[in-house]
Amino acid sequence: MKNRESVKLFLASLAAIACGLLVGFIIIMIANPSQGVRAFSIMLQGGFYRGLRSTGQVLYFAVPIMMTGLSVAFAFKCGNFNIGATGQFTVGAFTSIFLANTLYGVIPDSVLWIVALLGAGIAGALWALIPGILKAYKNVNIVISGIMFNYIGMLLVIEGVKAFIYDQAGARSQTALVAIPKMGLNKIFPGSDINAGTIIAIVVCIVAWYILNKTTFGYELKACGYNQNATQYAGMNDKNLAIFSLLCAGFFAGLGGGLTYIAGTGKAISTAEVLMVEGFNGIPVALLGMNSPLGCIASALFVSYINLGGNYMQAVNIPVEVIDVMVAVIIYFSSFTLLVKGFIDSYNKRKEKGLLPSDGGSE
Amino acid sequence: MDLVYFLFSQTLLFTIPLLIVALGGMFSERSGVVNIALEGIMIIGAFGGIYFINMSQTHGWMNGLPLFLVALVISAVIGGLFSLLHAYAAINLKSDQTISGTALNMLAPALGLFIAKVTLDGLPNVMFRNTFRIVEVPFLSQIPIIGDLFFKNTYLSTFIGLFILVVSWFFIYKTRTGLRIRACGENPHAADAAGINVPKIRYLGVVLSGVLAGMGGLIYIIPISTEYNCTVAGYGFLALAVLIFGNWKPWRIAGAALFFGVMKTLAYTYGSIPILSSLGLPSVIFKLIPFVATLIILTFTSKDSAAPKAAGIPYDKSTR
């Protein structure tokens, strides 16, 4: 039964993606009728357009959104909408550069990047802790506390950057002095920015999937998401579960910040008062991945793929924003899963009519 | 005294858009639909209005207050239409309201930037000239104190905002439709049993929120900039916070919006206020205050929050 359910969800997602692509195609054709077909095909080739280099870039750009997507999805499983992933990502990014640059020379480079990444994850987790506690014990709306913590995190990180790791030349932080090793991936995908961060992100997603689906803790987390009163009645500590789920979510988002900013690509934190986009971009990744950790891997790669295609498409004067429009349309239609499932159900029923008794009762 | 007047007018620039958008959110949520898309609706509404102002100023169609009013109507209509997408997903298709809201938040800036780039020679910024400031309202500006506070260097939007506040309060508490909206947000099944068309009322709530958020977007952008690149700097999310801070009640929302406005003003002008600048605090303290204060207040008030009970839950006749 469970398998058929996920097949339906999968078909619904495919239908949503098809709708998104169709809308994207129509918009491109309206914007540039003469070059539209060519632009669209460039976009579809996205991750292969420049050969393995493009594929490497897809894998590289998928890392931040995969982690923030996982963060949002994990919290969703326990019934929380982690809109605060942005703030957790930001403090993670800051912590990673801060640790990398202050401990540079003290700890050997081969260990330092691991320390920086763990620090980033822990910082993200701590940033999610207070909203979690406020939610569990004081019933503070998690969306609001998340938004507040996004701003607080951004403002404090800007102050931290100015105080500790400021780059006088531009209004931004220094870049990290250590980098995640490439592990030979740059030989497989020559010319791309790929590094072991991609592998780490995928492994973390798999671990998260394992925790959710194969451990008692994960079972309790999901139960808490389905019905908090029932978990309490069954003797689980629903308050701690809610806090733990947010701690994990915060860890993933913070780790994502670390993976992004010590990737060895010279990324620096800007001191402009603008929230980092990676956190919000995780929300569509989680939704598209049906809030499953493994789904997040696939959807992050997909979003990264068409984003790269959109970048190449600018060569024929199509603004890259069409990609965001498409992703938005896909998400909008993915909220129609019930509708698509209804179609499939009624189709199946018609097919089975008179032959088999309906199996609807066991659902 | 001049300083007070200056600070007051600055405060209003921040407060009024927050107030209008949060009131919009109130209609939606009290009818039972969580509207996380306020940010996106603000963006697309402001885009419509600013785009019209840009066109009108280039071609010389209109000027001054009439242009402002027409742009405001356009923003409201576009915001209302855009919110229909959310209403359809949330009400007809009973989908997860956070998901469709997120989709709209993502769609709005992308669509706006796309249209701007395609139609305005590849530039993402829509330029406009701010010719809408009212230097002095005749007669009324002569009233001592109040004249200086409200009727000098002001925008029409201030009065529109206050008018919307009063009308919203009257509408939601003193009219039959207002009662129905509240009923649908608290107990849609009881409302349905009493003969109220729940989907229709919820559509009304969501579209009202779209209209107000669209207007709020334009009102926010006009005084603070001369170009628009499809961002309202998280104001839609702040309005959501104001709504919850204000406990879903019009006057408390007004108070919450004013609080945010005052704090925001202090954060950016504290250097010119003698008492505050002599404290020697870093400016980040003032910037943090609205967010930290919101958290603290919510911590102590959330236990007895007056959130509409059915907000966020799709109405399904067959459940009870």
Side-chain angles (χ1 to χ4, degrees):
Chain A
M1 207 66 246
K2 189 174 176 283
N3 271 335
R4 283 186 59 182
E5 199 67 4
S6 50
V7 166
K8 279 181 210 162
L9 276 173
F10 182 68
L11 285 177
S13 285
L14 282 188
I17 289 174
C19 290
L21 290 176
L22 183 67
V23 171
F25 182 66
I26 293 170
I27 292 179
I28 292 173
M29 287 309 282
I30 293 172
N32 192 344
S34 58
Q35 297 273 359
V37 178
R38 190 168 151 237
F40 195 71
S41 82
I42 292 177
M43 191 207 71
L44 286 184
Q45 289 165 31
F48 304 110
Y49 190 59
R50 301 255 159 81
L52 283 175
R53 176 168 179 266
S54 301
T55 316
Q57 289 302 85
V58 167
L59 292 168
Y60 166 71
F61 284 117
V63 172
I65 51 176
M66 195 185 291
M67 294 312 292
T68 49
L70 175 65
S71 170
V72 174
F74 200 89
F76 244 133
K77 284 282 179 193
C78 194
N80 288 318
F81 183 47
N82 185 20
I83 203 169
T86 302
Q88 295 142 21
F89 183 91
T90 311
V91 294
F94 169 74
T95 313
S96 67
I97 301 185
F98 175 73
L99 287 177
N101 289 11
T102 46
L103 296 178
Y104 186 69
V106 183
I107 298 176
D109 285 6
S110 51
V111 187
L112 183 52
W113 66 272
I114 300 175
V115 173
L117 283 185
L118 283 178
I122 292 166
L126 290 178
W127 208 246
L129 179 65
I130 306 170
I133 292 176
L134 290 180
K135 163 77 186 171
Y137 290 97
K138 293 289 181 183
N139 193 28
V140 175
N141 187 312
I142 198 87
V143 174
I144 297 309
S145 58
I147 294 170
M148 296 297 125
F149 265 81
N150 284 345
Y151 285 100
I152 296 173
M154 172 193 77
L155 291 168
L156 288 181
V157 161
I158 290 173
E159 292 304 306
V161 165
K162 283 182 183 161
F164 299 113
I165 46 171
Y166 198 50
D167 176 6
Q168 301 293 344
R172 55 193 163 88
S173 73
Q174 299 159 3
T175 54
L177 295 172
V178 289
I180 304 168
K182 303 259 185 208
M183 289 190 175
L185 287 169
N186 53 341
K187 302 219 165 56
I188 306 175
F189 304 102
S192 72
D193 292 322
I194 189 170
N195 55 58
T198 307
I199 297 174
I200 297 172
I202 291 174
V203 168
V204 168
C205 283
I206 294 171
V207 170
W209 173 83
Y210 185 84
I211 292 174
L212 271 181
N213 293 307
K214 303 287 170 194
T215 65
T216 320
F217 173 60
Y219 183 81
E220 290 181 349
L221 280 184
K222 283 195 290 184
C224 191
Y226 282 124
N227 188 337
Q228 200 170 352
N229 296 329
T231 33
Q232 202 176 5
Y233 183 69
M236 304 170 201
N237 189 334
D238 60 320
K239 291 195 164 73
N240 283 354
L241 281 172
I243 295 175
F244 272 130
S245 81
L246 277 166
L247 271 181
C248 294
F251 182 86
F252 298 142
L255 182 62
L259 288 172
T260 312
Y261 280 82
I262 59 169
T265 47
K267 251 180 107 82
I269 302 171
S270 157
T271 51
E273 283 176 24
V274 181
L275 293 174
M276 288 187 181
V277 291
E278 287 89 346
F280 289 116
N281 289 348
I283 299 173
V285 169
L287 297 176
L288 207 54
M290 296 171 286
N291 291 323
S292 135
L294 296 184
C296 284
I297 301 179
S299 62
L301 289 174
F302 171 74
V303 172
S304 173
Y305 182 97
I306 60 168
N307 263 314
L308 195 69
N311 274 329
Y312 292 137
M313 203 171 59
Q314 281 175 304
V316 277
N317 271 334
I318 302 289
V320 68
E321 279 78 16
V322 73
I323 301 297
D324 279 347
V325 172
M326 277 167 45
V327 174
V329 170
I330 292 173
I331 291 166
Y332 185 72
F333 281 107
S334 76
S335 69
F336 291 5
T337 32
L338 273 181
L339 191 75
V340 178
K341 268 168 72 180
F343 274 137
I344 300 172
D345 282 344
S346 66
Y347 173 76
N348 283 346
K349 266 201 195 111
R350 251 179 290 151
K351 214 170 70 175
E352 288 169 7
K353 217 175 196 174
L355 294 170
L356 287 168
S358 163
D359 60 358
S362 65
E363 275 191 22
Chain B
M1 222 32 202
D2 278 351
L3 183 64
V4 174
Y5 297 139
F6 168 70
L7 291 179
F8 188 78
S9 69
Q10 287 296 308
T11 305
L12 283 181
L13 294 189
F14 288 122
T15 304
I16 293 297
L18 273 181
L19 171 68
I20 295 177
V21 179
L23 284 173
M26 179 188 80
F27 284 116
S28 173
E29 301 220 347
R30 292 211 81 159
S31 79
V33 181
V34 168
N35 195 347
I36 202 172
L38 288 176
E39 173 96 358
I41 300 172
M42 275 181 88
I43 290 174
I44 205 79
F47 178 77
I50 299 277
Y51 197 87
F52 178 75
I53 291 175
N54 172 298
M55 285 289 141
S56 170
Q57 284 177 339
T58 342
H59 300 288
W61 294 335
M62 265 189 247
N63 235 322
L65 283 186
L67 175 59
F68 183 75
L69 284 175
V70 174
L72 205 57
V73 170
I74 289 176
S75 287
V77 170
I78 288 182
L81 289 177
F82 197 63
S83 69
L84 279 178
L85 287 172
H86 184 54
Y88 180 68
I91 300 165
N92 294 56
L93 297 171
K94 303 182 178 28
S95 70
D96 188 320
Q97 295 167 10
T98 346
I99 299 184
S100 65
T102 306
L104 292 197
N105 282 339
M106 194 168 180
L107 181 61
L111 201 60
L113 287 173
F114 184 84
I115 295 173
K117 279 186 181 173
V118 168
T119 55
L120 301 172
D121 306 326
L123 290 173
N125 297 352
V126 187
M127 316 292 285
F128 64 97
R129 289 190 307 279
N130 179 0
T131 55
F132 313 111
R133 200 162 63 126
I134 303 168
V135 179
E136 204 168 334
V137 182
F139 304 117
L140 292 172
S141 64
Q142 304 305 319
I143 307 170
I145 301 179
I146 292 179
D148 283 318
L149 283 177
F150 285 98
F151 299 111
K152 277 184 185 167
N153 287 328
T154 185
Y155 286 89
L156 189 62
S157 49
T158 303
F159 309 109
I160 295 177
L162 296 175
F163 178 70
I164 288 175
L165 171 65
V166 175
V167 170
S168 297
W169 166 78
F170 184 82
F171 180 65
I172 200 112
Y173 283 117
K174 303 287 170 193
T175 65
R176 198 181 338 183
T177 319
L179 179 65
R180 288 181 175 172
I181 288 180
R182 286 184 285 143
C184 289
E186 286 298 325
N187 193 336
H189 294 95
D192 195 8
I196 297 172
N197 184 341
V198 176
K200 202 169 123 194
I201 291 290
R202 288 195 164 178
Y203 257 96
L204 177 69
V206 177
V207 169
L208 274 177
S209 82
V211 166
L212 292 181
M215 284 166 67
L218 184 70
I219 290 172
Y220 168 66
I221 291 296
I222 280 185
I224 62 160
S225 183
T226 55
E227 59 179 41
Y228 179 62
N229 48 10
C230 286
T231 168
V232 292
Y235 251 61
F237 290 119
L238 277 187
L240 212 56
V242 165
L243 169 66
I244 294 175
F245 197 8
N247 223 352
W248 292 269
K249 296 187 175 89
W251 294 108
R252 290 185 61 170
I253 289 173
L258 186 64
F259 172 77
F260 266 80
V262 168
M263 286 304 157
K264 192 119 184 160
T265 309
L266 287 184
Y268 289 97
T269 56
Y270 80 103
S272 53
I273 306 169
I275 307 165
L276 293 178
S277 62
S278 66
L279 290 175
L281 293 170
S283 69
V284 67
I285 301 284
F286 295 100
K287 289 178 188 166
L288 284 173
I289 284 176
F291 307 118
V292 176
T294 308
L295 277 173
I296 293 172
I297 292 172
L298 285 179
T299 307
F300 292 109
T301 57
S302 286
K303 278 279 182 206
D304 42 37
S305 116
K309 290 210 174 49
I313 307 163
Y315 175 60
D316 186 349
K317 263 188 189 169
S318 57
T319 57
R320 43 170 249 114

